[in-house]
Amino acid sequence: MSDTSHAAIKADIDTNDVVLFMKGTASMPQCGFSSRVAGVLNYLGVQYKDVNVLADEGIRNGIKSFSDWPTIPQLYVKGEFVGGCDIIREMFQAGELQTFFADKGVPVAQAA
């Protein structure tokens, strides 16, 4: 994958506490999996940057090689890859996601 795409991905991850690489945007997700993860983050009141991978083919393919993870969405917190839809959903349902955010110093508005 291009160095330019990886540099852009790294810049987003380095300059934002929480980044969601998704299909669509937080206000208009373009797939169910992206919608679920954005919904969890919105429910928790977490501030995050949404990156629409559909707007840039380099980012869409680059994020998969950057993380060595084959699917989108992908959530990064404080520079750490957390996972995709199933992992985020399971962590949220178990209360682990809220604890993870707290441990990372990311404010959460809702205790689910």
Side-chain angles (χ1 to χ4, degrees):
M1 196 43 31
S2 83
D3 291 339
T4 306
S5 296
H6 278 200
I9 291 165
K10 183 165 178 18
D12 277 336
I13 292 168
D14 288 347
T15 57
N16 296 279
D17 286 347
V18 182
V19 183
L20 179 61
F21 292 89
M22 62 185 293
K23 292 179 180 175
T25 63
S27 60
M28 191 172 288
Q30 298 292 308
C31 85
F33 299 113
S34 291
S35 179
R36 283 186 202 100
V37 176
V40 165
L41 296 176
N42 293 339
Y43 175 79
L44 292 174
V46 171
Q47 296 296 312
Y48 64 99
K49 175 172 181 160
D50 57 337
V51 178
N52 180 2
V53 301
L54 298 177
D56 186 326
E57 191 65 31
I59 300 295
R60 183 178 185 170
N61 291 317
I63 191 61
K64 295 174 186 179
S65 61
F66 185 88
S67 62
D68 197 25
W69 189 261
T71 60
I72 295 165
Q74 295 185 17
L75 181 67
Y76 283 80
V77 176
K78 298 276 184 145
E80 179 181 338
F81 174 61
V82 182
C85 183
D86 289 344
I87 290 169
I88 301 307
R89 181 182 44 79
E90 289 168 13
M91 287 177 73
F92 171 70
Q93 289 173 340
E96 296 169 3
L97 187 61
Q98 298 84 320
T99 302
F100 179 79
F101 282 129
D103 290 348
K104 293 287 189 178
V106 174
V108 175
Q110 294 268 358

